[in-house]
Structures are given as C-alpha cells and as structure tokens.
Amino acid sequence: MTTAPLDSTKLVIEKTTNPKEVLPKEKLAFGKSFTDHMLEVEWTAQSGWGTPKLSPYHNFSLDPATCVFHYSFELFEGMKAYRDKDGKIRTFRSDKNMERMNGSAARASLPTFDGEEFMKIIDKLLLADERFVPEGYGYSLYLRPTLIGTTPALGVAAPDKALLYVIASPVGPYFAEGFKPVSLEATDYAVRAWPGGVGAFKLGANYVSCIQPQSEAAKRGHSQNLWLFGEEGYITEVGAMNVFFVFQNADGKKELVTPPLDGTILPGVTRDSTLTLAREKLNSNEWIVSERPLTIYEVKERALKGELVEAFGTGTAAVVSPIKNIEHRGEAIEVPVEDGKAGAFTKQISEWIRSIQYGEEDFKNWSRVAK
Amino acid sequence: MTTAPLDSTKLVIEKTTNPKEVLPKEKLAFGKSFTDHMLEVEWTAQSGWGTPKLSPYHNFSLDPATCVFHYSFELFEGMKAYRDKDGKIRTFRSDKNMERMNGSAARASLPTFDGEEFMKIIDKLLLADERFVPEGYGYSLYLRPTLIGTTPALGVAAPDKALLYVIASPVGPYFAEGFKPVSLEATDYAVRAWPGGVGAFKLGANYVSCIQPQSEAAKRGHSQNLWLFGEEGYITEVGAMNVFFVFQNADGKKELVTPPLDGTILPGVTRDSTLTLAREKLNSNEWIVSERPLTIYEVKERALKGELVEAFGTGTAAVVSPIKNIEHRGEAIEVPVEDGKAGAFTKQISEWIRSIQYGEEDFKNWSRVAK
C-alpha cells in the first residue's frame, strides 16, 4: 500500500465570513450548539487520506445508500478543551483518545491514522474557534471526533470511502442536576455488551440499544442504567460511563474498586485517570485500589453491612458523577451521600482531575496546550 | 398523543425530469445503481408523521451532529420486487417486513408506523420505477426501507426527529458465484449477538461488528462466517443469513433443522417461508422439520457418520445459498454437494419460493401485486 497518510501540514483553512454569536454560559445545552468551524478529512481505499480541511460548520450531502446509514460504520470520541487561567486552550490526555479511536476504527473496518497528526489539526480548530471555549470550572468546549463510512452502496462489506471529522460544542455540566448524586436502575433484562462483542470500542453500535432501557429506567425515576452481566450480576458500566465504588474494609482500609477491562467495558480516559491518580496520590497504608470483578450482590451485601461508602461514574461528558441510589429488582441500595452531595473521595478525585484539565497542576504531561 | 399517523393518501409525487438509463442485466451489481425515484417520510415527536414524498433520487443534507452518525439510530429492511410473466410487479410477504421493521424501530427508540400504509406508498414507488424491475429468475428490484434518527444533537437520548425512506436497486444474484455452494468459517472468537442484546432486530448496529471477522474469513478463502455462540458451540446464523441443515436420521427420515428464534437470531422472512413450505409440502412420513438448538459439534459428528446431507443459508438478498464446507478450528466439515451444485432439498425449496415470488404459484397470499 502506498496510500497517503493523514498529514496535518496539508491543512487547508477556510474561515467563516458569518461568525455565530457566542451563547452566554447559562444557555449552553450539551451538544446542541456548535462553533463556527469544523474539520474534515476524506479517505479512500485507493488513495488514502486526503487534504484536511478546516471550514465553516456545514451540512453533509450524502447519498441515501451511504453505508453509514445502513450498517453502522461509525465511531467517535468524546474530548474536552478547557480554558486555563492564562486564557490558553488545553485538551486532556488526547493521546488516549487517539489510541482508542484507532482501535475502534480497526474493529469497525474503517481506516486508521496517525493520532498526533490528527491532534495537530484539532489544535488548529481550537485556535480558530477559541472564542467559543467558555471560562470556568465545569465549562469546556466538547470535541466530537467522528469517523463514518461513506461508500454509497448496499453490499455488506468494508467501506472503501470514509470521512473523519470533528465538530465542537461549548458545554456546561452534563447533567442538569450538576454535581448532584444520581439514582441508577440495575439492569439485567437488557445486556450492553458480551465477550467477543464490541463493548470495548467506542462504536455508535453500542449506544442505540441502550436508549430504550434508559427510557424505561427514566420512567421509574432513575437517571441511568447500571449494566449488569451474567447470572452472577457482574457490574460493568453505568449509562455511558465507567463506574467506581468505595468500600470500608474490615481491616480499616478503604478499597476503591472498578471492574476490569475484560472486553465488555469501554476503556474510559477518566477511568484510567481516576485509577492512576488514586494509585499515585492516595496513602497506600489507608487505601487499596482494585480493578476486579464485582457483583451487584457484593454491593448490596456491603451496603447492608454499612461498608459501602461511595459510588460514582466517570466519563468525559460528566467527568465524575456521584451516585446516591441503585435500584435492583425492586430493592434500593442506598449509597451514603454527605448533605445530599458527593462523598469525600468523589469530590477529591473530581478536584484532582479538574486541576490537571484546567492547567493548574502539571501531571505526567496529561494536559496539552493548543498551538 | 395526538400526533399524525403515516397516511399514504397524502403522498406527494414529483417525477424526475431526467430519467436514468436502465442498465443491462449483466451489468447489475448488488445495491450499486438505483432507480429514478425514492420515498421519504419525516417524523417529529411533536407532530408525528409528515407528508410522504416520492421524488427524484437525491442526496440528503444532514448536520454533522445528526444522531444517526453518532449513536447508530438506524435500521432497515431488505425486500425484493419481482416481475411476473404478465409484467406485473410483485413483492413477497411484505407484511412480515413491515412487522419486523416496526419491532426494530421500537427497540431502537425510533417511531413506529402502520405497515400497510407504508406498503401502499412503496407500491407507488414500484409503479413509478416499474421499468427498473428486471425480468427473469434471479433478477429483481431490491428495496431498502430505512429508518434513521435525524436529531442534530449529541446528547444520548431517543431521537425527536426521524426519516423513513426507501431506495431501490435493480439486482441479479447476490453472490457472484450464483447458486454455487459457498465455504464458511465457523467463528467463535467474535460473537454476533447474545441474550438480552439486539441480534433479533434488523439494526445497522448488528452489521458493523461482523465485517472485520468476515474479512478475516475471506483471507482464508471462506465467503461467510458461521456465527457460533457459547462454549457449547451453538450455531446461530451464517453471514447475514439464517442457516439450515438437512440430516439423514437413523430411522430413515430426513430432518430439516434451523436454530430457534431465541432472541439472538434474526427472524428471517425466507427462514419462515422455508419452514412453512417444508411443513406444508414435504411428506411427513419422510421428513421432520425442526426449530431446535444445534451445535457445530453435532454437525461435525453427523458429517463424519455420513448423516449430514445438505446445508444452506436463507436471506432476502441471496434467497437460498447452498453451503459446501464449514471450517471449524482447522478442521473441514464437508457438506455433500451433487456435481458441485446444490443438494436436492436446497434446489427444491429455492424453486418453491421462487414460484411464489414470481407469481407462478398462489400460496397463502404471500405475493402482493403493486397497484
């Protein structure tokens, strides 16, 4: 193959002549308003990656036979850009997103690319749309890198055309409730992912099947599903987030637990950051940090014993989302929440991550300044 | 809810002023060329179904945030229209497709509709594009009813806008090999569907994950995957078709077997037709027709004993596709094929279905004439 790689130096920039109004922060809704510009790079099996384009936000014109509409050739990433105290624009662990996006692409029979080259043009988008990056904790510019198959044919086969693109939406806190703890419904009648399936990849295909059970849970007053797996009731993910529990062990230590990456769980960047920060910053005489299988029955039993201390979800959109309650087969598992708010570790990890995201702490080069 | 239902009497027709050339039959490739027109019906949560439109085939203009690109809000049907000996255009068991499409829609948090109303406008499309329906066995006009979510927002939620559409492609035999038997690779490292998942619905989400294993199988000389499930090696589907086996039992009877609809298998119209025709037309003193679980190990064992007589896939695109060989963990399971062609029952069922599809036999009102 002598097809062209993705090359950031070829970026062609066409600035808008009709700039949008920047919405006031209180009017921001997640993923509903977008910036002035977008990025696009076309790919063909024959030629490889084409010329990257930064141009005014615009509709796509696609043949109704395009394979993305029929066989779900689509995958995405969720990333955020933050404005630091000096006004610079920063992304958080974007190398992890690029790595995961390439893994998703390979699994979905879509083309892979050099992640750093892609990040270089994403940086240019951030600079072009700099005025849309809001200030303040909880506010950011949500980036949606997306890759879709664009072959206009109905044969079930790997696409020979694709489009890599990025749109950006200024956002505030994901849940309208803000940092208020949420209630979950433990779900076993619908199963999100399976060994040998694609639950570990960020494919659109993993999302559509979760909406109907989410609507059902919402009718019963819960904001998300806690996805269980198997007769044992293994805990996997919550909604579209990873999930963590804090237990008080009998030996006096606390244990931070999240399920292991067994192929059914999305390898979240916030999940990995939480584990890394916990292992580096918590006192190991007082804490155990575990990636291990755990079941809803363990959580229930330990809640009854008073050993369940905290629970929270992690994900790019919501960052850290405290959990107050899990309903499982008609029984409520109550998670203690201080003053109806997040627990101590939930607050702590949220602050640790936030100070890196907003450039207040330099940690392992996790924060990248757009330039 | 007082939203509008799908109403065929509201159909607005705009005929093309630039008719396409009809390709000669030998140039037809599956799903690559399309007719002059298409159907569209928009839906909103607020108003329900809008005015159905029949208009010249055209591209869609969609916001890059449209939810179909991100969370796989998409599902489809595969149907065919046949030209009978009197020149009339016929569809086959379209009520089954409409029923399944509505089931898929409900599972995918997309709107449902009255299937007969939808069929009435599909009939109008068939009449408008009548000259594209090729003549002759194996030739037909493939119809692709599709439903996509069109909300232009990134929040993970049920779409409040959708588009139901139909495009049509004149086709010949699906496999370039025609009715020549194909070789399969029994696949257990990747899993197509699972209990509590969406394998029984015709969602785009079920297809993307199957392409990479299909490409792997193709590298090893196989044209499709035989999807296994569980440690027991249960047989589920082949490629994007249902699968049947014929065994010679020790008591002298033959058994036609296909796996049961346990939620992991697509309820194929050709599958149901095969079972129904076999039950009605085969001599029950000589045949048993079974929907029952079967494993790759049973197939292997019975092949070794000389009891495996035939195997074939069924689906709308290929109709009936004979199987000659299954490779499982490095071992070949040979299916006897007469003169390198299909077995006797495979040929028989193919002919039974064909004569109904092409209007030569009237059976249970399975054939519908467009008018």
Side-chain angles (χ1 to χ4, degrees):
Chain A
M1 301 269 271
T2 54
T3 58
L6 176 52
D7 182 351
S8 65
T9 64
K10 293 189 177 154
L11 180 67
V12 171
I13 296 178
E14 179 203 343
K15 288 282 183 77
T16 186
T17 53
N18 187 17
K20 294 175 184 170
E21 193 191 344
V22 174
L23 288 178
K25 274 161 66 170
E26 59 278 11
K27 288 211 175 164
L28 297 177
F30 183 85
K32 287 200 175 170
S33 70
F34 297 90
T35 60
D36 278 339
H37 301 95
M38 63 190 288
L39 290 171
E40 287 168 283
V41 200
E42 291 183 359
W43 173 90
T44 67
Q46 208 174 2
S47 308
W49 291 102
T51 306
K53 273 178 263 180
L54 189 161
S55 64
Y57 191 94
H58 61 270
N59 277 14
F60 295 142
S61 175
L62 289 171
D63 190 296
T66 305
C67 64
V68 67
F69 298 129
H70 301 273
Y71 307 123
S72 193
F73 289 108
E74 57 185 67
L75 58 96
F76 64 94
E77 280 298 319
M79 299 166 64
K80 281 178 171 172
Y82 305 88
R83 183 179 292 279
D84 72 15
K85 61 182 189 310
D86 303 324
K88 283 181 291 204
I89 313 300
R90 293 169 172 270
T91 48
F92 179 71
R93 304 194 73 187
S94 56
D95 54 324
K96 298 285 283 182
N97 293 98
M98 294 298 109
E99 185 190 330
R100 187 170 66 183
M101 194 170 189
N102 272 302
S104 301
R107 186 63 187 84
S109 306
L110 286 168
T112 58
F113 51 85
D114 182 316
E116 175 59 21
E117 287 299 299
F118 192 32
M119 273 312 299
K120 283 180 182 162
I121 65 171
I122 289 177
D123 282 346
K124 300 302 179 205
L125 177 67
L126 290 174
L127 297 178
D129 283 339
E130 180 269 334
R131 68 197 182 91
F132 290 89
V133 187
E135 278 179 18
Y137 290 153
Y139 292 86
S140 59
L141 183 67
Y142 182 82
L143 295 166
R144 174 55 62 97
T146 308
L147 177 57
I148 60 175
T150 53
T151 302
L154 299 180
V156 179
D160 63 0
K161 287 179 65 185
L163 178 67
L164 178 66
Y165 69 96
V166 186
I167 52 176
S169 171
V171 298
Y174 185 78
F175 291 110
E177 306 94 311
F179 205 57
K180 254 179 76 180
V182 297
S183 176
L184 309 180
E185 181 168 272
T187 305
D188 50 15
Y189 69 88
V191 177
R192 179 189 168 276
W194 197 270
V198 292
F201 301 98
K202 211 163 172 69
L203 308 188
N206 287 326
Y207 291 79
V208 60
S209 57
C210 294
I211 309 304
Q212 196 260 338
Q214 183 181 299
S215 303
E216 291 296 317
K219 281 183 204 162
R220 294 185 280 268
H222 306 286
S223 73
Q224 299 277 300
N225 304 79
L226 179 66
W227 301 106
L228 302 184
F229 181 79
E231 286 178 17
E232 300 87 348
Y234 286 114
I235 287 172
T236 63
E237 293 193 18
V238 48
M241 295 187 286
N242 295 116
V243 66
F244 285 82
F245 293 86
V246 178
F247 297 118
Q248 178 67 59
N249 286 353
D251 63 2
K253 283 192 179 183
K254 283 186 181 168
E255 186 187 13
L256 176 69
V257 188
T258 195
L261 299 178
D262 65 357
T264 66
I265 290 171
L266 195 82
V269 176
T270 315
R271 176 189 180 278
D272 184 84
S273 304
T274 298
L275 287 170
T276 303
L277 286 163
R279 284 175 178 139
E280 292 245 345
K281 299 203 173 203
L282 291 174
N283 181 338
S284 63
N285 294 321
E286 293 168 17
W287 283 85
I288 302 166
V289 179
S290 303
E291 293 174 81
R292 67 166 173 87
L294 85 163
T295 70
I296 189 71
Y297 299 102
E298 175 182 345
V299 173
K300 191 180 286 185
E301 189 189 313
R302 301 193 73 169
L304 287 173
K305 285 191 199 164
E307 294 178 3
L308 173 62
V309 186
E310 300 179 39
F312 57 93
T314 62
T316 294
V319 191
V320 172
S321 181
I323 296 162
K324 67 176 176 190
N325 175 64
I326 302 168
E327 179 117 344
H328 178 239
R329 299 189 173 174
E331 281 182 76
I333 304 173
E334 304 272 353
V335 185
V337 279
E338 291 166 17
D339 315 324
K341 291 186 181 164
F345 179 75
T346 309
K347 273 185 229 162
Q348 178 69 79
I349 191 68
S350 176
E351 280 160 24
W352 282 341
I353 292 173
R354 189 178 69 193
S355 50
I356 305 167
Q357 288 174 332
Y358 287 87
E360 289 154 19
E361 184 187 348
D362 189 13
F363 185 84
K364 293 181 187 281
N365 287 315
W366 281 4
S367 183
R368 171 190 181 108
V369 175
K371 58 191 172 198
Chain B
M1 299 269 270
T2 54
T3 58
L6 176 52
D7 181 350
S8 64
T9 65
K10 293 190 176 153
L11 179 68
V12 171
I13 295 179
E14 179 203 342
K15 288 282 183 76
T16 186
T17 54
N18 187 16
K20 294 176 185 171
E21 193 191 341
V22 174
L23 288 179
K25 274 160 68 170
E26 59 279 10
K27 288 210 175 163
L28 297 176
F30 183 84
K32 288 201 175 170
S33 70
F34 298 90
T35 61
D36 278 339
H37 301 97
M38 63 190 286
L39 290 172
E40 290 168 281
V41 200
E42 290 182 0
W43 172 90
T44 67
Q46 208 173 1
S47 308
W49 291 102
T51 305
K53 272 178 263 179
L54 189 162
S55 64
Y57 191 95
H58 61 270
N59 276 15
F60 295 143
S61 176
L62 289 170
D63 189 296
T66 304
C67 63
V68 67
F69 299 129
H70 301 273
Y71 308 124
S72 194
F73 289 108
E74 58 184 69
L75 57 96
F76 64 94
E77 279 298 319
M79 299 167 66
K80 281 178 172 173
Y82 305 88
R83 184 180 291 278
D84 73 15
K85 60 183 188 312
D86 304 324
K88 284 183 290 205
I89 312 301
R90 294 170 171 270
T91 48
F92 178 72
R93 305 194 73 186
S94 57
D95 54 323
K96 297 286 283 181
N97 294 99
M98 293 299 109
E99 185 191 330
R100 186 170 66 183
M101 195 170 188
N102 272 301
S104 301
R107 186 63 187 84
S109 306
L110 286 167
T112 58
F113 52 86
D114 183 315
E116 175 59 22
E117 287 300 300
F118 191 31
M119 273 314 299
K120 283 180 182 162
I121 65 170
I122 289 178
D123 282 345
K124 300 301 178 207
L125 178 67
L126 290 175
L127 297 177
D129 284 338
E130 179 271 332
R131 67 196 183 92
F132 290 91
V133 186
E135 278 179 19
Y137 290 154
Y139 292 87
S140 58
L141 183 66
Y142 182 82
L143 296 166
R144 176 54 65 94
T146 309
L147 178 57
I148 61 176
T150 53
T151 302
L154 299 180
V156 179
D160 63 0
K161 287 180 67 184
L163 178 68
L164 178 65
Y165 70 95
V166 186
I167 53 175
S169 169
V171 299
Y174 185 78
F175 291 110
E177 308 92 310
F179 205 58
K180 255 179 75 179
V182 298
S183 176
L184 309 180
E185 181 169 274
T187 306
D188 50 14
Y189 68 88
V191 175
R192 179 190 168 274
W194 51 85
V198 292
F201 301 96
K202 211 162 172 70
L203 308 188
N206 287 326
Y207 291 79
V208 60
S209 57
C210 295
I211 309 304
Q212 196 260 339
Q214 182 180 301
S215 304
E216 292 295 318
K219 281 184 205 162
R220 294 184 281 266
H222 306 287
S223 71
Q224 298 278 300
N225 304 80
L226 178 67
W227 300 107
L228 303 184
F229 182 77
E231 286 178 16
E232 301 85 350
Y234 285 114
I235 287 172
T236 63
E237 292 192 26
V238 47
M241 295 187 285
N242 294 118
V243 66
F244 285 82
F245 294 86
V246 178
F247 298 118
Q248 178 66 60
N249 285 353
D251 63 3
K253 283 194 179 183
K254 282 185 181 169
E255 186 186 13
L256 176 68
V257 188
T258 196
L261 299 179
D262 64 357
T264 67
I265 290 173
L266 195 81
V269 176
T270 315
R271 175 190 180 280
D272 185 84
S273 305
T274 298
L275 287 170
T276 304
L277 286 163
R279 284 176 179 138
E280 293 246 346
K281 300 205 175 203
L282 292 175
N283 181 338
S284 64
N285 294 321
E286 293 168 17
W287 283 85
I288 303 164
V289 178
S290 304
E291 291 176 82
R292 66 167 174 86
L294 85 163
T295 68
I296 189 71
Y297 299 104
E298 175 182 345
V299 173
K300 191 181 285 187
E301 190 189 312
R302 300 193 73 170
L304 287 173
K305 285 191 200 165
E307 293 177 4
L308 173 61
V309 185
E310 300 180 38
F312 57 94
T314 62
T316 293
V319 191
V320 171
S321 181
I323 296 163
K324 67 175 176 190
N325 174 66
I326 302 168
E327 178 118 344
H328 177 239
R329 297 189 174 174
E331 280 182 76
I333 303 174
E334 303 273 353
V335 186
V337 280
E338 292 166 16
D339 315 324
K341 292 186 180 165
F345 180 75
T346 309
K347 272 185 228 161
Q348 178 67 82
I349 191 68
S350 175
E351 279 159 26
W352 282 341
I353 293 174
R354 190 178 66 193
S355 49
I356 305 167
Q357 287 174 333
Y358 287 87
E360 290 154 18
E361 184 187 349
D362 189 13
F363 185 84
K364 293 180 187 281
N365 287 315
W366 281 5
S367 185
R368 172 192 181 107
V369 175
K371 55 192 171 198

